Coordinates of all heavy atoms in Angstrom, one line a residue:
G75 N -42.0 15.6 62.7 CA -43.0 16.5 62.3 C -42.9 16.9 60.8 O -42.9 15.9 60.0
P76 N -42.8 18.2 60.4 CA -42.7 19.3 61.3 C -44.1 19.7 61.9 O -45.1 19.2 61.4 CB -42.3 20.4 60.3 CG -43.0 20.1 59.0 CD -42.9 18.6 59.0
G77 N -44.0 20.4 63.0 CA -45.2 20.9 63.6 C -45.8 20.1 64.8 O -46.9 20.3 65.1
F78 N -45.0 19.2 65.3 CA -45.5 18.3 66.4 C -44.6 18.5 67.7 O -43.4 18.6 67.6 CB -45.5 16.9 66.0 CG -46.7 16.5 65.1 CD1 -46.5 16.7 63.7 CD2 -47.9 16.1 65.6 CE1 -47.6 16.4 62.9 CE2 -48.9 15.8 64.8 CZ -48.8 15.9 63.4
E79 N -45.3 18.6 68.8 CA -44.6 18.8 70.1 C -43.9 17.5 70.5 O -44.1 16.4 70.0 CB -45.6 19.2 71.1 CG -46.7 18.2 71.4 CD -47.9 18.3 70.5 OE1 -47.8 19.0 69.4 OE2 -49.0 17.7 70.8
S80 N -43.0 17.7 71.5 CA -42.2 16.6 72.1 C -43.1 15.7 72.9 O -44.2 16.1 73.3 CB -41.1 17.1 72.9 OG -40.0 16.3 72.8
P81 N -42.7 14.4 73.2 CA -43.5 13.5 74.0 C -43.8 14.1 75.4 O -43.0 14.9 76.0 CB -42.6 12.3 74.1 CG -41.7 12.4 73.0 CD -41.4 13.8 72.8
R82 N -44.9 13.7 75.9 CA -45.3 14.0 77.3 C -45.2 12.7 78.1 O -46.1 11.9 78.1 CB -46.7 14.5 77.4 CG -46.9 16.0 77.3 CD -46.2 16.7 76.2 NE -46.4 18.2 76.3 CZ -45.7 19.0 75.6 NH1 -44.8 18.6 74.7 NH2 -45.9 20.3 75.7
P83 N -44.1 12.5 78.9 CA -43.9 11.3 79.6 C -45.0 11.1 80.7 O -45.3 12.0 81.5 CB -42.5 11.4 80.2 CG -41.9 12.5 79.5 CD -43.0 13.4 79.1
T84 N -45.5 9.9 80.8 CA -46.5 9.5 81.8 C -45.9 8.5 82.8 O -46.4 8.3 83.9 CB -47.7 8.9 81.2 OG1 -47.4 7.8 80.5 CG2 -48.5 9.9 80.3
E85 N -44.7 8.0 82.4 CA -44.0 7.0 83.3 C -42.6 6.8 82.7 O -42.3 7.2 81.6 CB -44.8 5.7 83.4 CG -44.9 5.0 82.0 CD -45.6 3.6 82.1 OE1 -46.0 3.3 83.2 OE2 -45.7 3.0 81.1
G86 N -41.8 6.2 83.5 CA -40.4 5.8 83.0 C -40.5 4.6 82.2 O -40.5 3.5 82.7
S87 N -40.5 4.8 80.8 CA -40.5 3.6 79.9 C -39.9 4.0 78.6 O -39.6 5.2 78.3 CB -42.0 3.1 79.7 OG -42.8 4.2 79.2
G88 N -39.8 3.0 77.7 CA -39.3 3.3 76.4 C -37.9 3.9 76.3 O -37.1 3.7 77.2
W89 N -37.6 4.6 75.2 CA -36.3 5.1 75.0 C -36.0 6.2 76.1 O -34.8 6.4 76.4 CB -36.1 5.7 73.6 CG -36.8 7.0 73.4 CD1 -38.1 7.2 72.8 CD2 -36.3 8.3 73.7 NE1 -38.4 8.5 72.8 CE2 -37.3 9.2 73.3 CE3 -35.1 8.8 74.3 CZ2 -37.1 10.6 73.5 CZ3 -35.0 10.1 74.4 CH2 -36.0 11.1 74.0
I90 N -37.0 6.9 76.6 CA -36.7 8.0 77.6 C -36.1 7.4 78.8 O -35.1 7.8 79.4 CB -38.0 8.8 77.8 CG1 -38.4 9.6 76.6 CG2 -37.7 9.7 79.0 CD1 -39.6 10.4 76.8
S91 N -36.7 6.3 79.3 CA -36.2 5.6 80.5 C -34.8 5.1 80.3 O -34.0 5.2 81.2 CB -37.2 4.5 80.9 OG -36.7 3.8 82.1
K92 N -34.6 4.5 79.1 CA -33.3 4.0 78.8 C -32.2 5.1 78.8 O -31.1 5.0 79.3 CB -33.3 3.3 77.4 CG -32.0 2.6 77.1 CD -31.7 1.4 78.0 CE -30.5 0.7 77.6 NZ -30.2 -0.5 78.6

Side-chain angles (χ1 to χ4, degrees):
F78 284 85
E79 60 274 15
S80 216
R82 268 49 184 169
T84 57
E85 63 179 1
S87 62
W89 75 263
I90 293 177
S91 180
K92 186 67 178 179

